[in-house]
Amino acid sequence: MSTTGFVTVPVALGERSYEIRIGSGLMTGVGADAKALGARAATVVTDAHVGPLYLDSVRASLEAAGLAASDIVLPPGESTKSFRHLEEVSNALLAAKIERGDLVIALGGGVIGDLAGFAAAILRRGVRAIQIPTSLLAQVDSSVGGKTGINTKAGKNLIGAFHQPSLVLADTDVLDTLSPREFRAGYAEVVKYGLIDDLSFFSWLEKNWTEVFAGGEARTKAIATSCTSKASIVARDEFETGDRALLNLGHTFAHALEAAVAYDGTRLVHGEAVAIGLALAFEFSARLGLTSEDDADRVRDHLKAVGLPTRIQDIPGEVGDAAHLLDLMGQDKKVSGGRLTFILARGIGRSFIASDIPPQNVLGFLSEKLA
Amino acid sequence: MSTTGFVTVPVALGERSYEIRIGSGLMTGVGADAKALGARAATVVTDAHVGPLYLDSVRASLEAAGLAASDIVLPPGESTKSFRHLEEVSNALLAAKIERGDLVIALGGGVIGDLAGFAAAILRRGVRAIQIPTSLLAQVDSSVGGKTGINTKAGKNLIGAFHQPSLVLADTDVLDTLSPREFRAGYAEVVKYGLIDDLSFFSWLEKNWTEVFAGGEARTKAIATSCTSKASIVARDEFETGDRALLNLGHTFAHALEAAVAYDGTRLVHGEAVAIGLALAFEFSARLGLTSEDDADRVRDHLKAVGLPTRIQDIPGEVGDAAHLLDLMGQDKKVSGGRLTFILARGIGRSFIASDIPPQNVLGFLSEKLA
């Protein structure tokens, strides 16, 4: 791998601005990037799936640039986003004497990005981080925008911080090693950006998704368009007091479904939950008379075409009844004053924040879907 | 207790600005304050020393104002500032369904303030907090300025966040129940503000300290002057990239000494460590030819006069040798590039940041002090 041309997406957040670079071979240039940021030391946080593939070359790049490199390799999977592993990473960073000018490097998917980013946020009340997302989902979503966090028994990402990275390196070479299931799961988040506010992107995906899955230019375009869309929304509302909630399209349903399977990735991974959530958000919008049944069908059809689940029944095993799922939504961060906030749509590319949905409406809708 | 007149110290931090109120009986008005902030629910975090004294009246005040009140009572002592208790508090806040518009209320000394403030900072990526500091130290220091955190085996406060409270209620009635040792320990931080940049305040303390210890107007003045001083420094440098480091006068030594006794409060409480640290900072400054021996003597004499320790040998038991103490300083957050940052002084009220102290100089000084 060597660094060739890459696309740059700027994230404009004042003094917290940073760049997302998307392209082939970026990972092996991380040492020079870290040095350019003025760091003397860096700890790479990764997991036992990703570490064996890329850790040696990332460490070699850091060492070649003269940095003191160290690493911590965690178990793979959602259950790593826990207080226990947060403590473990924190202690490793302290043992490596990572100081305020130094760097935490998150090398992995969304789990590693969220956990390592959170550890960076709270180490010495904040040190810098470089994100090297190694899944499609992390490249288009979790490495962009500075949300970090861990899970608790009450729900996902309920404990965390806003902490912008100093640089994101989305190395597209790594996507070639993903399983089809992992790639598809990430693709659900790509579709989301079209559904939020970009009908033409959604239409382009409907026509070109096989090329996006195949790699090359179409894939880079899909990633860059997704990152640009997210960066634009985050720049408008860094701390989620308004428009940023649009990024949660499909996610209130998704979080409840993930909680219902106890974050068991063999049954349901995050992107699959999002796919079902997107389909449900459009069906719920149609049921409320906000959008047409045709639009809801079109969303479901595209997700199904690429092989993603779109119905609660697509999840293997039991997820509980409508009341149980509603209760799991009640612990979502987007609850306000007992009413539920959903992102609904007046059409594809016309999503909006509906902040006053009575729980009974959701209960009725879910009961129908589970019938 | 009833709310009578109180002094207000504003902390000017843009949209994170807040008020410190200092006076008698403020605690029983917390319900109205919480309601004025728009909260629907509040969880009181306290410890087993403070809880039995004040928890009932704080809860009653919240409930009378129509808030859903809950609480969590933790073990007293520095060891409560741990990942384990952070997780416990986080789970309690989630169980109480504290949402983004709600409140965490820290009712206790510095340990509770730091832990509960940190838990508020990371709950749903940030909910608001009211600090009700119940020790002199917490009233003049740890409840002002938004530093929150926990300890790890590598050192004190190495994991944490900047999170400004929405209101601080420094109820002076609570100081009447403090032990003389606790009050003295807090007084060390009061002295610090004179030493940093206010010779006239230090001179006033030399003359009036017995009245400050007795309570009443002199005590309120000492607290308000301390809070105003800290608020002014924090307003200049919220995230400690510059002047805020002045507040660490005496603290690099103090943190090492506390680590050396493994945070055993029976041997050394934080304010006592600060007293020794202040004396050492002036002696080290004198040794480097920056200030006079007379100034160093004057600082030590005043601290001794009120009954505070001023020498490492005043700590009961062993603390290890100079190299060990230096090593403990190396994990301080204020390390940068292998050099040590100390706050030194060119005289009383003329402190400055010395960011390039060679570790050997400190080693020589400490060896001499321990001889």
Side-chain angles (χ1 to χ4, degrees):
Chain A
M1 291 190 291
S2 68
T3 304
T4 57
F6 57 83
V7 176
T8 295
V9 175
V11 185
L13 295 166
E15 57 188 24
R16 290 182 297 285
S17 295
Y18 64 94
E19 277 184 3
I20 304 164
R21 296 186 196 145
I22 304 154
S24 167
L26 291 171
M27 193 186 282
T28 52
V30 65
D33 294 323
K35 198 174 167 64
L37 288 167
R40 298 169 62 255
T43 297
V44 184
V45 182
T46 189
D47 70 27
H49 277 166
V50 173
L53 296 172
Y54 309 118
L55 182 55
D56 283 352
S57 70
V58 167
R59 281 196 62 137
S61 173
L62 293 166
E63 282 157 9
L67 276 85
S70 54
D71 64 72
I72 175 167
V73 182
L74 298 165
E78 191 72 35
S79 63
T80 297
K81 280 175 63 174
S82 65
F83 264 108
R84 186 163 75 82
H85 288 102
L86 179 67
E87 181 173 8
E88 190 183 344
V89 173
S90 298
N91 285 331
L93 297 174
L94 289 166
K97 303 214 173 191
I98 297 297
E99 301 177 5
R100 279 203 185 151
D102 296 329
L103 284 164
V104 175
I105 296 179
L107 174 66
V111 166
I112 289 296
D114 286 2
L115 177 69
F118 189 28
I122 64 175
L123 178 71
R124 303 175 195 275
R125 300 197 185 91
V127 303
R128 295 176 299 173
I130 291 179
Q131 293 277 353
I132 307 182
T134 60
S135 69
L136 177 60
L137 188 130
Q139 291 192 352
V140 300
D141 181 45
S142 48
S143 70
V144 188
K147 279 194 184 182
T148 70
I150 56 173
N151 306 326
T152 70
K153 62 176 189 270
K156 210 173 150 167
N157 297 322
L158 293 172
I159 302 294
F162 287 101
H163 189 63
Q164 302 299 338
S166 294
L167 179 67
V168 177
L169 299 175
D171 188 328
T172 50
D173 293 346
V174 305
L175 302 178
D176 297 331
T177 67
L178 296 182
S179 72
R181 185 182 178 190
E182 280 176 295
F183 192 89
R184 269 198 307 269
Y187 183 79
E189 295 278 359
V190 174
V191 172
K192 185 187 75 175
Y193 295 108
L195 298 179
I196 291 174
D197 61 2
D198 193 348
L199 172 60
S200 69
F201 182 47
F202 181 76
S203 301
W204 183 85
L205 290 170
E206 285 181 311
K207 287 189 198 76
N208 297 284
W209 70 268
T210 51
E211 285 180 54
V212 172
F213 275 61
E217 212 173 299
R219 192 171 67 185
T220 300
K221 175 186 161 152
I223 297 168
T225 303
S226 299
C227 289
T228 302
S229 172
K230 179 156 188 181
S232 154
I233 292 170
V234 170
R236 290 207 295 274
D237 177 23
E238 184 176 0
F239 300 109
E240 197 171 13
T241 55
D243 268 8
R244 183 165 179 164
L246 290 171
L247 294 170
N248 292 316
L249 180 63
H251 280 62
T252 301
F253 290 114
H255 287 169
L257 295 172
E258 287 185 273
V261 302
Y263 305 105
D264 177 351
T266 62
R267 291 176 63 193
L268 188 72
V269 296
H270 178 64
E272 291 166 346
V274 169
I276 299 172
L278 292 172
L280 291 175
F282 271 78
E283 286 168 31
F284 191 37
S285 298
R287 191 179 196 268
L288 295 170
L290 294 164
T291 189
S292 67
E293 293 284 354
D294 282 355
D295 275 345
D297 290 347
R298 193 173 158 192
V299 170
R300 193 180 336 98
D301 288 349
H302 180 55
L303 294 168
K304 278 175 73 171
V306 308
L308 281 163
T310 57
R311 302 180 318 143
I312 300 174
Q313 289 86 344
D314 292 339
I315 303 167
E318 288 300 314
V319 296
D321 63 11
H324 179 59
L325 292 177
L326 183 66
D327 191 51
L328 293 171
M329 283 176 198
Q331 258 307 342
D332 194 275
K333 284 182 301 303
K334 291 164 288 295
V335 173
S336 177
R339 293 288 178 120
L340 290 166
T341 294
F342 277 83
I343 312 307
L344 299 177
R346 296 197 178 88
I348 291 171
R350 295 178 61 207
S351 296
F352 69 100
I353 303 165
S355 57
D356 205 28
I357 303 293
Q360 315 85 277
N361 284 24
V362 186
L363 194 66
F365 172 69
L366 286 174
S367 301
E368 200 176 276
K369 288 287 134 189
L370 286 163
Chain B
M1 293 190 291
S2 68
T3 304
T4 57
F6 57 84
V7 175
T8 296
V9 175
V11 185
L13 295 167
E15 56 188 24
R16 290 181 298 284
S17 295
Y18 64 94
E19 277 184 3
I20 305 165
R21 295 185 197 146
I22 303 154
S24 167
L26 291 172
M27 194 185 282
T28 52
V30 66
D33 294 323
K35 198 175 167 64
L37 288 168
R40 297 170 62 254
T43 296
V44 184
V45 182
T46 189
D47 71 26
H49 277 165
V50 173
L53 297 171
Y54 310 118
L55 183 55
D56 283 352
S57 71
V58 167
R59 279 196 63 138
S61 173
L62 292 167
E63 283 157 7
L67 277 85
S70 53
D71 65 71
I72 174 168
V73 182
L74 299 165
E78 190 72 34
S79 63
T80 297
K81 278 176 63 174
S82 65
F83 264 107
R84 186 163 76 82
H85 288 102
L86 179 68
E87 181 173 9
E88 190 183 343
V89 173
S90 298
N91 285 332
L93 297 174
L94 289 167
K97 303 213 173 191
I98 297 297
E99 300 177 7
R100 278 202 185 151
D102 295 328
L103 284 163
V104 175
I105 297 179
L107 174 66
V111 166
I112 290 296
D114 286 1
L115 177 69
F118 188 29
I122 64 175
L123 179 71
R124 304 176 196 274
R125 300 197 185 92
V127 303
R128 295 175 301 172
I130 292 179
Q131 294 277 354
I132 307 181
T134 60
S135 69
L136 177 59
L137 188 131
Q139 291 191 353
V140 300
D141 181 46
S142 47
S143 70
V144 188
K147 279 194 183 182
T148 70
I150 56 173
N151 306 326
T152 71
K153 61 176 191 271
K156 211 173 148 167
N157 296 322
L158 293 172
I159 302 295
F162 288 100
H163 189 64
Q164 302 298 338
S166 295
L167 179 66
V168 176
L169 299 175
D171 188 328
T172 50
D173 292 346
V174 305
L175 302 178
D176 297 332
T177 67
L178 297 183
S179 71
R181 185 183 178 190
E182 281 176 295
F183 192 88
R184 270 199 306 270
Y187 184 78
E189 295 276 1
V190 174
V191 171
K192 185 186 76 176
Y193 295 108
L195 298 179
I196 290 174
D197 62 2
D198 194 347
L199 172 59
S200 68
F201 182 47
F202 181 77
S203 301
W204 182 85
L205 290 170
E206 285 181 312
K207 289 189 198 75
N208 298 284
W209 70 268
T210 52
E211 286 181 54
V212 172
F213 275 61
E217 213 173 297
R219 192 172 66 185
T220 299
K221 176 188 160 150
I223 296 168
T225 304
S226 299
C227 289
T228 303
S229 172
K230 178 155 188 180
S232 154
I233 292 170
V234 170
R236 290 208 295 273
D237 176 23
E238 184 176 0
F239 299 110
E240 197 171 14
T241 54
D243 269 8
R244 183 164 180 164
L246 290 171
L247 294 169
N248 291 316
L249 180 63
H251 280 63
T252 301
F253 289 114
H255 287 168
L257 295 171
E258 289 185 273
V261 302
Y263 306 105
D264 177 352
T266 63
R267 292 174 64 192
L268 187 73
V269 298
H270 178 65
E272 291 166 346
V274 169
I276 300 173
L278 292 172
L280 291 176
F282 270 78
E283 286 168 31
F284 192 37
S285 298
R287 190 180 197 270
L288 295 170
L290 295 163
T291 189
S292 66
E293 293 285 354
D294 281 356
D295 275 345
D297 289 348
R298 193 174 158 192
V299 170
R300 194 180 333 99
D301 288 350
H302 180 55
L303 294 167
K304 279 175 75 171
V306 308
L308 281 163
T310 57
R311 301 180 317 144
I312 299 174
Q313 287 86 345
D314 292 339
I315 303 167
E318 288 300 315
V319 296
D321 62 12
H324 179 59
L325 293 177
L326 183 66
D327 191 52
L328 293 171
M329 284 176 197
Q331 259 306 343
D332 193 275
K333 285 183 301 302
K334 290 165 286 298
V335 173
S336 176
R339 295 286 178 123
L340 291 165
T341 295
F342 276 83
I343 313 307
L344 299 177
R346 296 197 177 88
I348 292 171
R350 295 178 60 207
S351 296
F352 68 102
I353 303 164
S355 57
D356 205 29
I357 302 293
Q360 314 85 278
N361 284 22
V362 186
L363 195 65
F365 172 69
L366 285 174
S367 301
E368 200 176 276
K369 288 286 134 191
L370 287 163

